[in-house]
Amino acid sequence: MILLRRIWDHDLAWSFRRSPVTVVAAALTVICVGAALLAPWASPQDPFDMAALNLSDAFTPPAWEDKGMASYPLGTDNQGRDILSTIMHGARISLGVGIAAVLFALVLGVSLGLLSGYLGGRVDAVIMRIADVQLSFPAILIALLIDGFARVALPGDRHDELAIPVLVLAIGFAGWVQYARTVRGSTMVEKEKEYVQAARVIGRRPLAIMLSHVLPNVTGPVLVIGTIHIATAIITEATLSFLGVGVPATRPSLGTLIRIGNEFLYSGEWWITVFPGLALVVLVLSVNLLGDWLRDALNPKLR
Amino acid sequence: MPLLKLERVSRDFDVSPPWLNRVLDHEPRRILRAVDQVSLDIDKGETVGLVGESGCGKSTVARLIVGLYAPTEGRIEYRGRRLQMIFQDPYASLNPRWRVHDIVAEPIRFLGTPQKVEELLRQVGLSPDDGEKYPHEFSGGQRQRISIARALAGEPDFLVCDEPTSALDVSVQAQILNLMSDLQRRLGLTYLFISHNLAVVSQVADRVGVMYLGRIVELAPAAQLFSRPRHPYTRMLLDAVPDLGMSGRPRTPVRGEVPNPLAPPSGCTFHPRCPHANERCRREVPAFIDGVACHAVLEGRI
Ligand SMILES: Nc1ncnc2c1ncn2[C@@H]1O[C@H](COP(=O)(O)OP(=O)(O)O)[C@@H](O)[C@H]1O
Ligand code: SF4
Ligand SMILES: [Mg+2]
C-alpha cells in the first residue's frame, strides 16, 4: 500500500497523470501487449491449427457487413482464418521480435559505448569509425544484408527454423549505434568525475569500474532510446516481413499479414490487410508516445 | 627516510587537436607541462601544504602521488602501507547511485581491510543509520565526511587531500579541518594538504610548498613561510591576505594573470608579474636552492 502510494506520488507518475495523451497511449499499449501475450489462450481461434480452419468460411467480411458472421468479428482471410486471431498472434510475434532485437541492440550498444568512452584512444577510434560507417546506411538495408547473408549461409530447411533469431540479430545489429554513442558520451563525462577516480585509487580494475560505477549512471537515456527503438524495430520487422524476407509464412507477424492481405485489397477484401495495418499503427504509435513521454519526463531540459 | 619522495617529477599532457584536424590545419602537437621537475620529501606524521593559484598543477601532483597519472619524467617513491585520496568536489566524489554503506564498504571489500562501516561512520561524526541513505540526502560537509570515511576504510597511512574544504562554507570548513587533525593525531596519518587558500593551509600545515606554473618555487616550514616569505610570488600571495603573518601591511590584490601553460614565459616563468625581474630572470631558469627558486633571492637583491 505504501509502495503504491509512493509510486503514485513519484515525479514520473505525476507527469504521467498530467498528460492525457500519454495515459491513452499507455492504455492502448497495455491492450496491445495484453492481447499479444494472451493470444494462445484468448484468441477466438487458433489460426495455426489447420484442422480448426474452415475453408468455406474464407473471405468472410467483418461482422457488421452484410455477409459478416458473429464468430469472425473482423472477418476471415483466404484460408478462412479469423483476422482478429491472426492479428493477436501476429502482434505477439511482432512484439517479441521487436523487444528481443532491442535487447540485443541495447546490450551490444551499451557494452561498446562503455568500452569506447572509458578506454578512449584506439579502441574508441575503431568503434566510433565503425559506427559512423554503419550510420551512413539505413537500418533496413543493414538488416536486409544480414538477413540475406544468413539465407545464403544457412541451408534451406534450417533457415525457416532460425528465421526469427536471424531476424532479431539483423534488426538488433542495425540499431546498436545510437546506444553506443549516447553511452559513450555519458561515460566520458562520468569517468572524469571524482567517484571514478576514488575507485581507481582503491585499485579497482577498469571493467569493474565500468560495470559497477559508470553503468548505473548512464542508463537513464538508454531506457528512453530503448522504448522508442521498440517501435522502430517493430516497423523494421514489419517492413522486412512485408518484403517477404522476414518471419516465415507459417508464423506470420503483422507485416506478413499486411503483405498477404495486400493481394486481396483490389479485389475488395480490404479487411484482410487493413485491420493488421491498423493494429500495427496503433501499437507503434502508442509505444512511441510512451517513449516520448519518458524522454521528456526524465529530462525536463529537453522539452 | 621520508615516507614519500618525489624526485624531479614532471607530467606532460598531450592537448593536441585530433590527428585529422592537426594534419589538415598543419598544426604541430601541443604538449602541456602541468608539473615540471617537482622534488618533494614528506616525512611520516607531518602535514605538508601545497598552495598556488588555480591551474598551477596542484591536483596533478596529487594524482601523480596516488598513481592516477604516471609521471612523464622523474621518480616517485612511497615506503608506506597505503595511500588514499580525498577530493575537492563533495558532489562528484560519491557515486550518486550507491548507498553510503556500499560506498564506504568498497575499500573494505576490495582491499580486505578489517574495518567496519558503522565504526567508520561514527569516527567521522555520522550516524551508523546514515549508511542506508544515498549521497544526495547529505550536505556538502557531511558528504566530505563520507569521503573521509571511505578513505579511512582502506587503512591508509598517507592521505592526499586535494582541496578538501574549498567547496564548503567557512563554518563547515573549520569542522572538517578539526576532524582531519583529530584523525591525524589518533591514527598517525601523514597528509599532503592542497589548497589555494593560504589561510586554511596556515592552520593545518607543518611545511608549505608554493607552486607556480607546474614548479615548486618555495618550500619552507609553515611558520617561516608565513612570517618571512622569500620568493616574490609567495610575497604577492601573502600580501593579498591581510591577517596572515606580516601584520600592519596593507592588503594588495594579486597582480597580473597566470600565463598560458602551453606557452610559458622564458627563464623564470614568474618574470612577467615579478617586480624584481631583470634580464637574467627573462633568460635563465632559476635553480631550486635552499628552499627557494629565485635569482633575486640567491643574489641577495631582495
Ligand atoms: N587530464 C588533463 N589533460 C590535459 N590537461 C590537463 C589535465 N589535467 C590537468 N591539465 C592541465 O594542467 C594544468 C594544471 O592543472 P591542475 O593540476 O588541475 O591544477 P590545479 O589543481 O592547481 O588547479 C592546467 O593547465 C590544466 O589545464
Ligand atoms: S627569478 Fe627573477 S623574475 Fe623570478 S621571481 Fe625571482 S626575481 Fe622574480
Ligand atoms: Mg585542483
Side-chain angles (χ1 to χ4, degrees), chain A residues 190 192-205 212-214 216-217 219-220, chain B residues 63 66-68 83-85 87-89 92-98 106-107 110-111 150:
Chain A
E190 294 299 317
E192 296 302 328
K193 291 197 181 160
E194 291 168 345
Y195 71 87
V196 171
Q197 319 258 341
R200 288 177 58 200
V201 172
I202 293 167
R204 303 218 58 189
R205 302 274 121 216
S212 63
H213 282 285
V214 180
N217 284 292
T219 46
Chain B
R63 284 162 190 212
V66 296
L68 286 171
L83 295 144
Q84 289 284 292
M85 183 158 171
F87 296 89
Q88 171 171 5
D89 183 352
S93 57
L94 306 174
N95 190 333
R97 303 273 163 168
W98 282 32
E106 192 181 22
F110 186 74
L111 299 167
R150 170 179 61 194

Side-chain angles (χ1 to χ4, degrees), chain A:
Chain A
M1 220 36 234
I2 294 170
L3 184 71
L4 282 181
R5 182 87 231 155
R6 264 167 93 167
I7 292 174
W8 181 249
D9 287 339
H10 191 269
D11 287 355
L12 271 182
W14 185 80
S15 90
F16 181 79
R17 280 182 279 149
R18 282 203 353 144
S19 161
V21 175
T22 309
V23 175
V24 172
L28 285 174
T29 307
V30 167
I31 292 172
C32 289
V33 172
L37 284 180
L38 297 177
W41 304 280
S43 66
Q45 184 197 56
D46 180 358
F48 305 124
D49 180 5
M50 285 306 185
L53 301 184
N54 193 344
L55 256 183
S56 58
D57 287 345
F59 298 121
T60 307
W64 58 88
E65 300 254 315
D66 276 352
K67 293 197 204 98
M69 292 160 72
S71 52
Y72 303 121
L74 300 181
T76 65
D77 67 2
N78 57 327
Q79 299 177 45
R81 293 190 292 199
D82 172 43
I83 298 285
L84 178 61
S85 303
T86 56
I87 288 177
M88 286 171 76
H89 281 85
R92 190 177 156 84
I93 290 174
S94 290
L95 258 176
V97 169
I99 290 172
V102 165
L103 286 179
F104 175 63
L106 190 149
V107 171
L108 183 67
V110 169
S111 314
L112 291 176
L114 264 180
L115 283 173
S116 207
Y118 193 83
L119 299 178
R122 291 227 179 107
V123 176
D124 180 37
V126 169
I127 294 176
M128 283 303 120
R129 285 308 79 73
I130 295 174
D132 287 344
V133 171
Q134 177 165 338
L135 264 200
S136 57
F137 294 97
I140 188 85
L141 189 61
I142 293 163
L144 262 175
L145 278 173
I146 297 175
D147 193 69
F149 182 77
R151 250 161 228 278
V152 175
L154 295 170
D157 48 335
R158 299 275 294 138
H159 182 265
D160 262 13
E161 242 171 85
L162 291 175
I164 288 184
V166 166
L167 197 61
V168 166
L169 290 188
I171 297 172
F173 197 77
W176 65 274
V177 173
Q178 246 201 317
Y179 299 93
R181 286 200 162 171
T182 311
V183 168
R184 171 181 179 264
S186 340
T187 301
M188 286 167 59
V189 173
E190 294 299 317
K191 83 165 173 187
E192 296 302 328
K193 291 197 181 160
E194 291 168 345
Y195 71 87
V196 171
Q197 319 258 341
R200 288 177 58 200
V201 172
I202 293 167
R204 303 218 58 189
R205 302 274 121 216
L207 196 62
I209 294 178
M210 275 183 248
L211 293 178
S212 63
H213 282 285
V214 180
L215 185 58
N217 284 292
V218 298
T219 46
V222 167
L223 291 181
V224 175
I225 300 176
T227 315
I228 296 174
H229 189 200
I230 291 178
T232 326
I234 290 174
I235 291 277
T236 308
E237 185 279 327
T239 312
L240 290 174
S241 293
F242 184 79
L243 296 174
V245 294
V247 298
T250 49
R251 320 253 333 131
S253 69
L254 290 177
T256 323
L257 295 176
I258 296 169
R259 169 170 57 91
I260 296 171
N262 214 25
E263 295 166 22
F264 308 103
L265 187 55
Y266 296 107
S267 52
E269 287 94 10
W270 53 269
W271 58 90
I272 306 180
T273 193
V274 165
F275 290 123
L278 270 179
L280 182 69
V281 168
V282 169
L283 176 63
V284 167
L285 196 65
S286 35
V287 172
N288 226 333
L289 286 171
L290 271 186
D292 281 350
W293 160 75
L294 196 61
R295 182 191 55 205
D296 294 348
L298 289 182
N299 191 352
K301 273 176 258 159
L302 279 180
R303 238 175 289 200

Side-chain angles (χ1 to χ4, degrees), chain B residues 157-224:
Chain B
D157 53 354
F158 194 122
L159 272 186
V160 176
C161 316
D162 188 4
E163 314 232 16
T165 61
S166 301
L168 307 177
D169 293 342
V170 178
S171 58
V172 183
Q173 272 188 20
Q175 293 168 11
I176 298 292
L177 291 176
N178 282 341
L179 171 67
M180 290 180 59
S181 55
D182 225 46
L183 291 168
Q184 180 170 41
R185 229 175 304 117
R186 284 222 308 269
L187 304 171
L189 297 169
T190 307
Y191 286 147
L192 176 67
F193 191 99
I194 294 173
S195 179
H196 63 265
N197 185 335
L198 285 161
V200 169
V201 169
S202 73
Q203 279 177 48
V204 296
D206 303 314
R207 285 192 299 142
V208 179
V210 181
M211 279 187 84
Y212 188 74
L213 230 55
R215 295 194 189 142
I216 291 191
V217 295
E218 181 165 4
L219 179 66
Q224 184 186 322

Side-chain angles (χ1 to χ4, degrees), chain B residues 6 34-35 38 40 50 56-66 69 76 160 192 194 211 214 216:
Chain B
L6 272 68
V35 170
V38 163
L40 182 65
L50 202 54
C56 70
K58 305 183 296 295
S59 294
T60 307
V61 169
R63 284 162 190 212
L64 282 162
I65 291 173
V66 296
Y69 295 146
I76 300 175
V160 176
L192 176 67
I194 294 173
M211 279 187 84
I216 291 191

